[in-house]
């Protein structure tokens, strides 16, 4: 018998919006006036403006504020490439909930240090060990797991990005969303399709970590090795779809496209020059698709998912090195 996955509803996303409103920034849609295609006017959704520098704060706040009193008292644990970890740490600090974050040893130091600055205990592991170590710590310490994407409250929180896009640009034709584990894409697609059903929702993934693209084409989950996914510069896009997020993608997403490493780096520089936006590699992926992919005409939104770029790498990319 097949397991039926319950999808996050529009009501879930609306409830999340109310829950996170006091502390998550309602980011604007910013038009880009130069360097764009007149047939496809571009707006940026700059989630790099969140207090923790990425969209992850939305889902993390929603999840922490949905905990039971007993769960809050015991604390939570997650695994993360960095942005979800620091968002959960920040949410835990606001709510008085202790947080443990399991992070790959090769994560950017700026992300590791941010988790620690918000009071989280950081556990560094090999990339392939992050989820098993999270589950081990949860069992040993009685902690509640709040994974970065495979969680209904996380998806609902991330869906508030789509809620705002559809409210601010009802005539939107295409919404470009980075995809990794799929929490952001799942939530945004569910919200956009509820409010602007004719809009196309397109996931964007690095060519070097294209498990979601392959899964979408195959109609079933296709797994890539951790080593293969870790080749991409976009460290926030190295995770893979779960059964929960893939169910949302199949239901609501129109297409998944891929971008190269060179296109991601070029988009980072383009965003700085034309949008005055600081984007980490993962955050620039959607804009890379706008610049390079074959997309239909009409008003287009690219979600800039985060701006927690490694300073040295960012400077080299802006300098063209």
């Amino acid at each position: 018998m097949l397991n039926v996955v319950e999808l996050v509803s529009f009501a879930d996303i609306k409830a999340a919006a109310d829950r996170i409103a006091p502390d998550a920034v309602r980011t604007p849609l910013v038009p880009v006036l130069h360097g764009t295609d007149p047939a496809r006017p571009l707006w940026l959704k700059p989630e790099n403006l969140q207090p923790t520098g990425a969209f992850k704060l939305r889902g993390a706040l929603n999840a922490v504020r949905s905990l039971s009193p007993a769960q809050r008292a015991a604390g939570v644990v997650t695994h993360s490439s960095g942005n979800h970890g620091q968002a959960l740490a920040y949410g835990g600090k606001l709510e008085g909930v202790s947080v443990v974050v399991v992070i790959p040893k090769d994560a950017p130091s700026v992300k590791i240090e941010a988790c620690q600055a918000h009071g989280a205990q950081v556990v560094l592991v090999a990339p392939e060990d992050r989820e098993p170590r999270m589950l081990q710590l949860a069992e040993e310490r009685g902690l509640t797991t709040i994974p970065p994407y495979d969680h209904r409250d996380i998806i609902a929180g991330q869906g508030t990005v789509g809620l705002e896009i559809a409210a601010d640009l009802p005539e939107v034709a295409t919404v470009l969303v980075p995809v990794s584990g799929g929490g952001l894409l799942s939530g945004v697609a569910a919200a956009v399709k509820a409010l602007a059903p004719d809009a196309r929702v397109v996931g964007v993934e690095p060519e070097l970590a294209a498990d979601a693209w392959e899964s979408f084409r195959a109609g079933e989950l296709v797994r890539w090795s951790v080593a293969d996914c870790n080749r991409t510069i976009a460290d926030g896009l190295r995770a893979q779809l779960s059964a929960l997020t893939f169910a949302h993608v199949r239901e609501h997403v129109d297409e998944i496209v891929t971008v190269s490493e060179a296109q991601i780096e070029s988009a980072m520089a383009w965003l700085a020059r034309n949008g005055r936006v600081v984007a980490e590699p993962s955050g620039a992926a959607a804009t890379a698709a706008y610049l390079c992919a074959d997309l239909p005409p009409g008003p287009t939104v690219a979600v800039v998912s985060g701006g927690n770029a490694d300073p040295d790498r960012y400077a080299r990319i802006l300098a063209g090195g």
Side-chain angles (χ1 to χ4, degrees):
M1 181 177 179
L2 293 176
N3 292 324
V4 178
V5 176
E6 182 183 359
L7 300 182
V8 168
S9 69
F10 183 68
D12 294 329
I13 297 171
K14 287 282 289 181
D18 293 337
R19 211 171 275 128
I20 72 174
D23 296 291
V25 173
R26 192 194 188 287
T27 55
L29 284 184
V30 179
V32 182
L33 304 181
H34 304 289
T36 56
D37 181 351
R40 291 183 296 145
L42 177 66
W43 284 259
L44 303 176
K45 182 67 168 169
E47 286 296 295
N48 60 307
L49 299 180
Q50 292 294 344
T52 57
F55 76 95
K56 293 285 191 177
L57 181 62
R58 296 171 181 267
L61 279 175
N62 189 48
V64 169
R65 289 176 175 162
S66 299
L67 294 170
S68 70
Q71 290 172 325
R72 292 170 66 95
V76 300
V77 62
T78 192
H79 68 87
S80 171
S81 61
N83 282 340
H84 172 68
Q86 61 182 297
L88 192 63
Y90 182 68
K93 181 170 67 175
L94 291 177
E95 296 296 310
V97 175
S98 64
V99 176
V100 180
V101 184
V102 180
I103 299 182
K105 294 177 181 178
D106 59 357
S109 60
V110 64
K111 296 183 178 182
I112 295 172
E113 291 163 5
C115 292
Q116 294 169 327
H118 293 309
Q121 177 191 353
V122 170
V123 178
L124 298 176
V125 298
E128 64 273 16
D129 293 335
R130 51 190 256 186
E131 186 170 5
R133 183 65 172 138
M134 176 192 73
L135 296 174
Q136 180 185 26
L137 288 168
E139 183 175 356
E140 291 174 353
R141 303 186 190 180
L143 306 174
T144 295
T145 59
I146 302 182
Y149 51 87
D150 191 24
H151 194 289
R152 289 177 52 82
D153 291 333
I154 293 293
I155 293 172
Q158 319 307 26
T160 60
V161 172
L163 201 69
E164 294 168 10
I165 290 171
D168 291 349
L169 192 67
E171 68 274 25
V172 62
T174 303
V175 181
L176 300 168
V177 188
V179 55
S180 180
L184 177 63
L185 180 59
S186 294
V188 169
V192 169
K193 289 299 184 179
L195 292 174
D198 293 334
R200 288 181 60 79
V201 179
V202 179
V204 184
E205 192 172 40
E207 290 176 354
L208 296 183
D211 62 285
W213 174 83
E214 190 171 347
S215 296
F216 190 78
R217 288 169 59 91
E220 61 182 10
L221 282 174
V222 177
R223 296 297 180 190
W224 283 36
S225 72
V226 171
D228 280 346
C229 290
N230 280 5
R231 295 173 299 167
T232 179
I233 187 178
D235 60 279
L237 301 183
R238 293 170 177 169
Q240 303 190 48
L241 296 177
S242 67
L244 177 62
T245 56
F246 185 53
H248 287 80
V249 168
R250 293 190 69 179
E251 180 69 20
H252 298 303
V253 173
D254 296 285
E255 185 181 5
I256 294 179
V257 300
T258 61
V259 289
S260 71
E261 302 296 287
Q263 288 166 344
I264 290 172
E265 292 190 6
S266 178
M268 291 172 69
W270 188 92
L271 281 165
R273 292 193 306 269
N274 295 282
R276 282 75 61 193
V277 168
V278 174
E280 62 187 276
S282 306
T287 303
Y290 173 83
L291 296 171
C292 304
D294 182 16
L295 300 172
T300 302
V301 172
V303 177
V304 181
S305 56
N308 293 314
D310 176 80
D312 292 337
R313 173 177 283 172
Y314 188 67
R316 288 196 301 271
I317 289 171
L318 292 190

